[in-house]
Amino acid sequence: MGSRTAQLASHAGLPSVTTSRMRRATFFSFVFLGTVIGIWLLFLMLQVDGLAWYELGIIIVFIPLYYQLNVGFWTALIGVWIMNRAKPDPIDLFRTITKDDIDAPLHATTAIIIPVYNEDVTRVFEGLRAVYNSLNKTGRLEHFDFFILSDSDDSNKWIEEETGWLELCRQLNAFGRIFYRKRRTPINRKSGNVSDFCRRWGKRYRYMIVFDADSVMSGSLMVNMVRLMEKNPGVGILQTFPKQIGADTFLGRVMQFAQALYGPAFIAGLNYWQCGEANFWGHNAIIRLAPFIEYCALPPLPAKVPFGGHIMSHDFVEAALMRKAGYAVRLIPTDHGSYEEGPPTLIDMLKRDRRWCLGNMQHFWLLFARGWHPISRLNFFHGIMSYVSSPLWLIFLVLGTIMAGMGEGVMGQQASFAGQLLLGLTLMFIFLPKTVIVMDEVVTGRLFKPFRLRMLTAFSSLLDTLLFTFMAPVMMIFHSKFVMKTILGQGVSWVAQRRKLGSGIDWREPILTFGGTSLLGVAWGILAFFISSNFLLWISPVLLALVVAIPFAIMTSSNRSLQRFGLFLTPEELHPPPVLQSLNQHLKEVKDRPKMQPEMEQRYGLIQVCLDPYVNGLHVSLLRRRKHPHHSREYFAYLAQKLVTQGPNSLSSKELVAVLYDQDTVTHLHYQLWSAADENLAPFWRLAIRQYNLVAPNPFTHLLAQKEVTA
């Protein structure tokens, strides 16, 4: 393995072993030094009159927390240094591409895959349209194919996906270029969907670009990624930095702004010390398919769910397996051309973190497996610590409360001085990276050239610091719950992710979600008051955040924008690149189409396949014909009759999906609904038939008509 790695590195222009070792020695020396100084200062502060059990516990949980704080601190500072170097980073992969390479034709075929699960169909297909058109403008479209890989179990989403695929192919003349595949059984979620694609079609392509349902990438970046893979055959996975876009809530806009401002420095810092052992984040990345298929199959873990079983956070593991096979995993530290959307509310963020926590905790088994590169093993540890740090922080605060309740305090001049130094050092580790990044923006104008916008960016940074200060204790409580639920054996269900808030937040949801957190803050505050006023003052920022968790969640879910004041702006909002301009324009056009009543709109896919002969024929043609025994035919006939006479609510979601999987039943449903007398139809179908002719037969038809008129 070592000789193969060296051969690939020398042939592909990857960082040399000497460069990687020097960078990591430098980085982790700083991390080690900062961590040891913090531990020593804490020991000096607590060791007066010996160490009680709770003081020893404070030191133990402090060690991994301070290590994690140092890793983030030095990653950011080194990233800013890399960004301000007079010469480009010598390990930058873009240096391997020459002008002749840019002008040369492509010879590799690339599949762009988009796994979807009950997503907003309009957003998925309009994002695909924007990417397709962007690629077309590069003149290299013929080297790319698109695959929409559906695991949707919502019958309406399923039909809308089929209709959206066909209409988009007609509009773009993309038959044979854009493909749609619906899995009957969604085994192993997204990773199983990708594996299924690799087994069926992977050998036809040299590379695969993986999207999430909300991903958008510019054609020029994707073409350059293929060129980078061609010039660097030792690279197995090339991961971009996807920037958040399209936020419609206060929290979403703050997260979007923070990622745009601080993200590039952290990515540059990660690229500095990870070198060829970076992480794969599951999307907005290009993968060399041959080694991925051969080496990156995911083994089941030895224990039962949730710690074991199928691997949920597959991306980290696939990156480690690719590196184990001798191929590098690299980051592209560019902040242009790769985009995604984020969760709109704090509750949606916590729902996503619940899944991610379970996936990262599963990696505990992999820490001790043989054959990993040391940095891959470290990446597993960092992923676990991103969630375990919350219960460690909570334990630290609880032990601090016990220590204060015991009447322990800082005693003596030396201990007092050590405590002051530790406080100052900790505040520096927390706030200095953001300060340096903001100063870099004010001086260089990387995001915005006008000086007024740079100053507004600096002020926005102060505000987001306040918001994150309130959010961190709440995340601590919930991440601690998630870790404990995982340890106690509670799994997590697979649900569609909400990416847009829509009409607003239901106040009952944050009250029910954060009510216990607020009560905990109040009870802890009363206890702190009786312990001492000094301790209450020390812990008050944490307790205040817990107490106001409900109004904080409601306030940050507001869709009132501060954009008109110039706060939390991103370059993509003021000057959107062409691929985002195209996406926003088409989303606006689709949003303005005629709509049915809300109860009809929720069942729009079912209405389409049952009433529209065009959609009915499309759906039937995409189904695989299956022979059913006589008793199954009777069961389908019973379900169809019940659907016609009693409406969709009379069937469960599984029964609706079963009906839509049978060709004969779907065909007969269309005939039944149009030939039945009104008195034999459910009220739902009578209303649907009256309203259906008032709107376009499907959400893309009006766009098709506009394009035909233009042509």
Side-chain angles (χ1 to χ4, degrees):
M1 182 63 67
S3 60
R4 172 174 172 77
T5 303
Q7 182 181 1
L8 285 172
S10 62
H11 180 59
L14 301 181
S16 67
V17 174
T18 302
T19 299
S20 299
R21 287 177 177 174
M22 286 296 297
R23 289 188 169 207
R24 288 163 184 164
T26 302
F27 176 80
F28 286 104
S29 293
F30 285 132
V31 170
F32 177 77
L33 181 62
T35 305
V36 168
I37 291 175
I39 296 170
W40 178 246
L41 290 175
L42 181 65
F43 174 78
L44 291 179
M45 187 178 73
L46 297 178
Q47 56 83 35
V48 178
D49 296 332
L51 290 175
W53 65 268
Y54 45 83
E55 293 173 321
L56 183 60
I58 287 175
I59 294 176
I60 292 174
V61 299
F62 180 81
I63 294 172
L65 290 174
Y66 222 63
Y67 163 80
Q68 189 179 35
L69 184 61
N70 270 269
V71 168
F73 174 80
W74 291 111
T75 298
L77 289 193
I78 290 176
V80 174
W81 171 69
I82 289 288
M83 292 164 58
N84 286 278
R85 283 176 55 141
K87 296 180 180 180
D89 189 352
I91 70 168
D92 187 354
L93 281 178
F94 279 106
R95 299 183 64 187
T96 64
I97 298 181
T98 65
K99 186 178 185 302
D100 292 338
D101 295 325
I102 295 176
D103 297 332
L106 292 180
H107 300 288
T109 54
T110 302
I112 299 172
I113 67 169
I114 311 172
V116 296
Y117 175 71
N118 295 339
E119 300 285 348
D120 181 344
V121 178
T122 298
R123 171 61 182 81
V124 172
F125 282 92
E126 291 304 332
L128 193 157
R129 181 203 301 275
V131 173
Y132 186 96
N133 288 334
S134 181
L135 261 176
N136 193 26
K137 291 178 181 177
T138 68
R140 303 290 190 270
L141 179 62
E142 69 273 14
H143 300 285
F144 295 84
D145 288 339
F146 296 79
F147 290 82
I148 301 101
L149 309 176
S150 174
D151 275 341
S152 299
D153 55 12
D154 183 322
S155 56
N156 295 282
K157 298 292 186 182
W158 176 14
I159 303 304
E160 289 179 19
E161 288 167 3
E162 292 180 341
T163 310
W165 163 72
L166 183 61
E167 289 304 323
L168 190 62
C169 287
R170 290 180 59 183
Q171 293 169 19
L172 298 176
N173 191 24
F175 291 105
R177 186 71 62 196
I178 301 176
F179 303 93
Y180 173 81
R181 193 285 317 270
K182 168 74 169 67
R183 281 205 301 174
R184 188 180 184 94
T185 305
I187 300 173
N188 292 342
R189 303 181 176 91
K190 179 181 176 181
S191 63
N193 204 346
V194 175
S195 297
D196 186 72
F197 166 82
C198 291
R199 285 191 299 269
R200 294 174 183 269
W201 299 288
K203 292 184 179 180
R204 300 182 183 182
Y205 300 92
R206 188 177 301 174
Y207 305 113
M208 171 176 70
I209 297 178
V210 186
F211 275 23
D212 262 358
D214 58 357
S215 295
V216 176
M217 294 182 69
S218 69
S220 59
L221 177 59
M222 288 190 290
V223 169
N224 284 332
M225 289 167 68
V226 173
R227 295 194 190 282
L228 287 172
M229 296 294 276
E230 291 285 271
K231 291 287 290 186
N232 299 277
V235 175
I237 300 177
L238 200 56
Q239 175 68 62
T240 68
F241 168 45
K243 298 183 69 174
Q244 289 189 15
I245 57 168
D248 62 352
T249 62
F250 179 60
L251 178 63
R253 287 187 52 77
V254 172
M255 298 297 293
Q256 182 176 279
F257 163 81
Q259 191 203 44
L261 179 59
Y262 313 124
F266 279 95
I267 293 297
L270 282 174
N271 189 53
Y272 172 86
W273 65 265
Q274 287 184 338
C275 297
E277 290 75 39
N279 259 329
F280 169 45
W281 299 328
H283 58 93
N284 291 47
I286 187 169
I287 298 173
R288 193 177 301 274
L289 267 172
F292 184 79
I293 294 172
E294 183 175 359
Y295 299 112
C296 296
L298 298 176
L301 296 175
K304 295 182 180 180
V305 175
F307 258 121
H310 168 66
I311 296 175
M312 294 190 64
S313 289
H314 57 92
D315 37 19
F316 279 35
V317 184
E318 288 160 346
L321 289 170
M322 184 69 81
R323 189 66 192 90
K324 183 179 179 181
Y327 290 85
V329 181
R330 296 295 308 275
L331 286 175
I332 305 180
T334 179
D335 58 351
H336 300 291
S338 181
Y339 310 100
E340 64 172 346
E341 294 178 356
T345 69
L346 183 58
I347 293 176
D348 291 298
M349 187 180 299
L350 291 170
K351 289 178 180 178
R352 182 191 66 180
D353 284 358
R354 176 70 178 96
R355 298 192 302 272
W356 287 3
C357 176
L358 175 57
N360 280 273
M361 292 294 289
Q362 284 182 315
H363 295 168
F364 174 80
W365 294 107
L366 302 174
L367 279 175
F368 309 102
R370 289 179 291 182
W372 299 127
H373 189 283
I375 298 299
S376 297
R377 205 180 299 273
L378 186 66
N379 288 336
F380 287 140
F381 174 73
H382 286 167
I384 295 170
M385 276 300 301
S386 63
Y387 291 95
V388 173
S389 60
S390 289
L392 291 179
W393 183 22
L394 181 60
I395 292 171
F396 181 87
L397 294 176
V398 170
L399 292 175
T401 303
I402 294 174
M403 185 177 73
M406 293 292 185
E408 298 284 349
V410 175
M411 301 173 60
Q413 185 176 358
Q414 181 182 5
S416 178
F417 181 66
Q420 293 173 4
L421 280 180
L422 179 60
L423 176 61
L425 186 66
T426 303
L427 292 177
M428 182 189 74
F429 284 152
I430 294 174
F431 295 109
L432 184 60
K434 295 183 69 172
T435 304
V436 171
I437 292 171
V438 170
M439 291 174 60
D440 175 73
E441 167 61 19
V442 171
V443 174
T444 64
R446 297 182 194 278
L447 297 183
F448 302 109
K449 295 303 179 185
F451 187 73
R452 180 183 68 86
L453 291 180
R454 298 188 211 178
M455 299 309 296
L456 287 172
T457 298
F459 184 64
S460 299
S461 178
L462 291 176
L463 295 180
D464 81 42
T465 301
L466 180 64
L467 182 137
F468 291 138
T469 300
F470 275 90
M471 191 165 69
V474 178
M475 302 293 281
M476 172 192 71
I477 295 298
F478 277 87
H479 284 182
S480 299
K481 289 181 181 178
F482 299 160
V483 171
M484 289 304 302
K485 287 181 177 180
T486 301
I487 294 174
L488 294 175
Q490 294 187 24
V492 59
S493 58
W494 188 27
V495 297
Q497 181 176 325
R498 183 169 62 175
R499 306 179 194 275
K500 294 289 184 181
L501 185 58
S503 58
I505 190 172
D506 183 355
W507 283 32
R508 291 173 298 179
E509 189 175 20
I511 291 173
L512 294 175
T513 303
F514 300 107
T517 304
S518 297
L519 291 176
L520 174 64
V522 171
W524 202 341
I526 294 173
L527 176 63
F529 174 79
F530 283 106
I531 290 176
S532 74
S533 58
N534 287 335
F535 175 71
L536 177 62
L537 181 64
W538 178 78
I539 204 173
S540 60
V542 174
L543 300 183
L544 178 61
L546 298 180
V547 170
V548 302
I550 294 174
F552 177 81
I554 295 173
M555 183 270 293
T556 55
S557 301
S558 169
N559 56 11
R560 294 181 180 178
S561 174
L562 297 177
Q563 186 174 358
R564 63 181 182 274
F565 300 113
L567 298 176
F568 306 117
L569 289 177
T570 64
E572 287 73 24
E573 289 179 307
L574 289 185
H575 307 290
V579 66
L580 295 185
Q581 290 181 14
S582 173
L583 172 64
N584 295 334
Q585 176 186 350
H586 287 293
L587 284 177
K588 184 179 184 304
E589 291 174 356
V590 174
K591 185 179 179 180
D592 293 338
R593 71 172 172 88
K595 293 183 181 295
M596 288 182 156
Q597 292 183 3
E599 62 269 25
M600 299 289 105
E601 195 74 24
Q602 293 176 359
R603 298 284 190 180
Y604 193 56
L606 182 65
I607 293 172
Q608 283 181 293
V609 76
C610 291
L611 298 183
D612 192 323
Y614 170 84
V615 179
N616 186 272
L618 165 67
H619 178 70
V620 170
S621 69
L622 292 176
L623 292 176
R624 179 184 300 177
R625 179 167 290 279
R626 296 174 180 268
K627 293 184 179 181
H628 296 284
H630 180 70
H631 66 274
S632 295
R633 295 256 54 91
E634 292 180 344
Y635 177 66
F636 283 128
Y638 163 74
L639 292 180
Q641 185 65 23
K642 191 176 180 181
L643 177 61
V644 170
T645 58
Q646 300 180 36
N649 290 333
S650 64
L651 301 184
S652 68
S653 59
K654 290 185 178 180
E655 289 174 331
L656 275 175
V657 170
V659 166
L660 292 179
Y661 264 119
D662 185 65
Q663 288 180 320
D664 295 335
T665 303
V666 174
T667 302
H668 190 59
L669 267 174
H670 177 70
Y671 173 79
Q672 279 184 287
L673 286 169
W674 283 114
S675 60
D678 278 1
E679 59 269 17
N680 295 329
L681 291 176
F684 172 88
W685 290 115
R686 292 199 295 268
L687 178 61
I689 291 172
R690 285 198 298 270
Q691 288 198 15
Y692 189 68
N693 291 327
L694 300 178
V695 299
N698 61 73
F700 294 92
T701 298
H702 74 292
L703 294 181
L704 176 63
Q706 292 175 3
K707 294 182 181 298
E708 289 177 344
V709 169
T710 303

